[in-house]
């Protein structure tokens, strides 16, 4: 039976105070949260503890970086930081098959997107505390993005560049909802460099999880990898496309998870997959570069998961007969996995959360489905697992 396994202190995926702290540590921290100027003697009396015990607990809280200095300055709750692009998506779906060099009837829609932003909204709808780290122009497109996202995502660390324009993405879909061609104006992403990342070092080093897309520049990726390694923060990298793989450096030790597709992997290693052995070899090459966990997709064909402990497993994505729009499928897949990791679930269970989220998202006209919530996604993942197991039993 499918179940979501919560692993206590499943480092490095869970840094939640409710798991890492003892009962007395939580009680002392709650008292300090209520009044940072309480003396140790008063805390001891309120909690019926000895003063020496409270002193030891406060020392432990400082060492664990839950508080700092005197009066005890309480660190804010760690967020998931999604780092990368946000943009306005303009989608045109053909009513009939495309005919070149002439006008084609379409239906159109304008939505908000960007890999980092899409993942952030998914996570916000899944009840995670998430902040977006991005750049935008001071324009109407940015205002649209903020107005439609801020109910789920914090925009405190979005920097506006007055002389730039907010990124935009235009996609042409065939009558079945499959993308035929897309155009991206992402010039502002060139400013997402290591200097920009370094401005936020003090904030990022307290993060629960770091999630970055490859719209950021190569030196920015290198800076993030080093920051994550130095502070033992899980870093999940999400490639955007084959051409953007040049933003990924050679040394990848410090990346906890890489969620990548076959085409992007082929572009990075500059080699083509000709058979199943080649596909598995690509995963091995990612591990040799230092990635802790690699998840490599290939459309509706089986997905490969491998890690540094020698695990190698295949997962069959469910094929949805009611596809409306595949635009947000990859981002929703990644977000489901990240949600599972943030909750401390085993990687295998996180993958089912990702598959379930993608399966439901392609039925929605929205890049991020509007009915998404944590309880529903976990139920959908359970159903998916049970259905696939039942199919395996029938085959036997």
């Amino acid at each position: 039976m499918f179940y979501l396994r919560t692993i206590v202190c499943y480092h490095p995926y869970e840094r939640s105070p409710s798991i890492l702290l003892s009962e007395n540590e939580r009680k002392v921290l709650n008292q300090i949260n209520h009044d940072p100027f309480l003396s140790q003697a008063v805390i001891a009396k309120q909690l019926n503890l000895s003063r020496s015990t409270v002193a030891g607990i406060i020392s432990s809280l400082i060492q664990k970086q839950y508080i700092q200095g005197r009066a005890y300055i309480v660190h804010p709750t760690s967020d998931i930081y999604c780092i990368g692009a946000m943009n306005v998506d303009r989608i045109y779906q053909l009513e009939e098959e495309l005919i070149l060099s002439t006008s084609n009837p379409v239906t159109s829609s304008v939505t908000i997107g960007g890999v980092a932003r899409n993942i952030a909204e998914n996570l916000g709808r899944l009840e995670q505390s998430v902040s977006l780290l991005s750049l935008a122009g001071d324009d109407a497109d940015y205002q649209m993005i903020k107005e439609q996202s801020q109910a789920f995502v914090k925009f405190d660390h979005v920097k506006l560049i007055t002389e730039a324009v907010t990124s935009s993405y235009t996609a042409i879909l065939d009558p079945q909802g499959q993308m035929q061609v897309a155009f991206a104006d992402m010039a502002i992403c060139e400013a997402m460099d290591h200097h920009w990342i370094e401005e936020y070092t003090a904030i990022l080093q307290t993060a629960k999880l770091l999630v970055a897309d490859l719209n950021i520049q190569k030196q920015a990726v290198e800076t993030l990898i080093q920051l994550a390694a130095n502070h033992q923060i899980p870093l999940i990298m999400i490639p955007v496309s084959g051409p953007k793989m040049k933003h990924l450096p050679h040394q990848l030790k410090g990346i906890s998870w890489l969620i990548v597709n076959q085409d992007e992997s082929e572009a990075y290693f500059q080699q083509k997959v000709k058979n199943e052995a080649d596909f598995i070899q690509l995963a091995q090459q990612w591990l040799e570069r230092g990635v802790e966990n690699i998840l490599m997709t290939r459309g509706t064909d089986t997905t490969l998961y491998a890690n540094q402990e020698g695990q190698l497993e295949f997962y069959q994505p469910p094929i949805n007969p009611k596809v409306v729009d595949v635009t947000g499928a990859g981002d929703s897949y990644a977000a489901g996995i990240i949600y599972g990791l943030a909750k401390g679930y085993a990687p295998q269970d996180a993958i089912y959360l990702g598959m379930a989220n993608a399966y439901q998202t392609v039925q929605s006209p929205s890049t991020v489905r509007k009915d998404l919530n944590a309880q529903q996604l976990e139920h959908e993942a359970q159903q998916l697992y049970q259905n696939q197991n039942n199919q395996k039993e029938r085959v036997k």
Side-chain angles (χ1 to χ4, degrees):
M1 180 178 178
F2 176 85
Y3 60 98
L4 299 174
R5 299 182 285 271
T6 301
I7 301 177
V8 177
C9 292
Y10 188 14
H11 183 77
Y13 304 130
E14 179 60 74
R15 299 173 67 198
S16 169
S18 64
I19 291 180
L20 287 179
L21 299 184
S22 68
E23 182 178 356
N24 280 342
E25 285 174 329
R26 290 197 299 272
K27 288 180 179 178
V28 170
L29 185 59
N30 285 338
Q31 295 296 106
I32 294 171
N33 268 312
H34 180 70
D35 185 354
F37 294 94
L38 287 175
S39 68
Q40 293 179 1
V42 170
I43 294 173
K45 183 177 181 180
Q46 289 177 343
L47 298 180
N48 196 27
L49 297 171
S50 69
R51 189 180 183 282
S52 62
T53 297
V54 171
I57 290 173
I58 288 175
S59 177
S60 175
L61 291 172
I62 292 173
Q63 185 176 8
K64 292 179 179 180
Q65 297 186 354
Y66 283 89
I67 61 177
Q68 58 182 0
R70 292 178 178 271
Y72 311 111
I73 301 170
V74 181
H75 274 167
T77 303
S78 296
D79 280 356
I80 299 173
Y81 284 87
C82 292
I83 306 162
M86 60 176 178
N87 49 259
V88 171
D89 291 340
R90 293 175 172 87
I91 308 299
Y92 300 90
Q93 183 164 2
L94 294 159
E95 295 181 3
E96 302 174 359
E97 295 302 324
L98 177 66
I99 302 175
L100 297 177
S101 303
T102 189
S103 176
N104 290 264
V106 299
T107 55
S108 63
S109 62
V110 178
T111 58
I112 55 176
V115 172
R117 194 224 66 87
N118 289 347
I119 292 173
E121 184 182 336
N122 271 275
L123 292 171
R125 289 180 180 274
L126 290 168
E127 301 165 18
Q128 299 300 296
S129 178
V130 57
S131 287
L132 181 64
L133 191 66
S134 189
L135 295 176
D138 190 3
D139 51 29
D141 278 356
Y142 167 68
Q143 291 302 324
M144 181 192 305
I145 293 170
K146 184 177 181 181
E147 288 171 7
Q148 295 185 30
S149 306
Q150 61 186 352
F152 310 100
V153 181
K154 298 175 187 176
F155 274 67
D156 299 353
H157 307 303
V158 174
K159 182 177 180 180
L160 301 186
I161 303 176
T162 55
E163 64 272 20
V165 297
T166 301
S167 299
S168 64
Y169 170 87
T170 302
I172 309 298
L173 310 180
D174 67 18
Q176 290 74 43
Q178 300 294 322
M179 185 177 71
Q180 296 296 289
V181 66
F183 308 94
D185 179 359
M186 311 293 289
I188 197 171
C189 294
E190 295 177 10
M192 294 182 183
D193 56 17
H194 63 293
H195 298 297
W196 170 65
I197 290 292
E198 288 165 358
E199 292 179 33
Y200 299 94
T201 298
I203 296 168
L204 296 177
Q205 67 187 19
T206 66
K208 178 180 182 179
L209 288 171
L210 296 174
V211 181
D213 70 36
L214 283 184
N215 285 301
I216 68 176
Q217 302 302 300
K218 185 175 182 177
Q219 288 183 322
V221 176
E222 292 171 337
T223 301
L224 275 177
I225 290 174
Q226 191 62 52
L227 185 150
N230 289 345
H231 297 279
Q232 296 185 312
I233 303 170
L235 171 61
I236 299 97
M237 293 299 308
I238 313 295
V240 175
S241 64
K244 292 292 177 70
M245 296 306 288
K246 64 184 179 183
H247 293 176
L248 201 60
H250 179 85
Q251 176 53 253
L252 304 176
K253 186 173 177 59
I255 295 179
S256 301
W257 277 73
L258 177 66
I259 304 173
V260 63
N261 65 36
Q262 179 181 315
D263 292 343
E264 292 160 346
S265 299
E266 290 174 332
Y268 181 79
F269 291 109
Q270 296 185 349
Q271 60 189 64
K272 281 289 185 181
V273 169
K274 298 178 181 178
N275 50 48
E276 199 71 359
D278 289 346
F279 185 64
I280 294 172
Q281 179 59 30
L282 274 183
Q284 184 59 41
Q285 288 177 251
W286 284 120
L287 297 175
E288 290 170 358
R289 291 287 175 96
V291 175
E292 293 178 34
N293 299 271
I294 175 69
L295 189 72
M296 195 157 58
T297 64
R298 45 183 173 176
T300 57
D301 290 335
T302 53
T303 293
L304 173 60
Y305 167 75
N307 62 25
Q308 292 289 348
E309 285 69 47
Q311 282 184 280
L312 191 152
E313 299 173 351
F314 285 91
Y315 295 83
Q316 177 59 59
I319 300 174
N320 197 318
K322 301 177 181 178
V323 173
V324 175
D325 185 356
V326 300
T327 304
D331 299 340
S332 63
Y333 185 36
I337 293 171
I338 295 164
Y339 165 76
L341 300 179
K343 295 287 286 185
Y345 296 149
Q348 293 78 6
D349 293 339
I351 292 168
Y352 270 95
L353 287 162
M355 290 194 297
N357 200 25
Y359 180 86
Q360 299 296 331
T361 299
V362 298
Q363 297 182 78
S364 168
S366 302
T367 305
V368 180
R369 58 186 175 122
K370 305 306 181 187
D371 63 345
L372 177 61
N373 63 68
Q375 183 178 2
Q376 179 169 321
L377 179 61
E378 296 200 18
H379 175 68
E380 291 163 352
Q382 291 171 350
Q383 282 190 320
L384 173 59
Y385 180 85
Q386 291 168 355
N387 291 341
Q388 291 196 346
N389 265 358
N390 290 340
Q391 291 174 3
K392 290 177 183 177
E393 289 297 324
R394 286 195 292 270
V395 170
K396 291 179 182 179

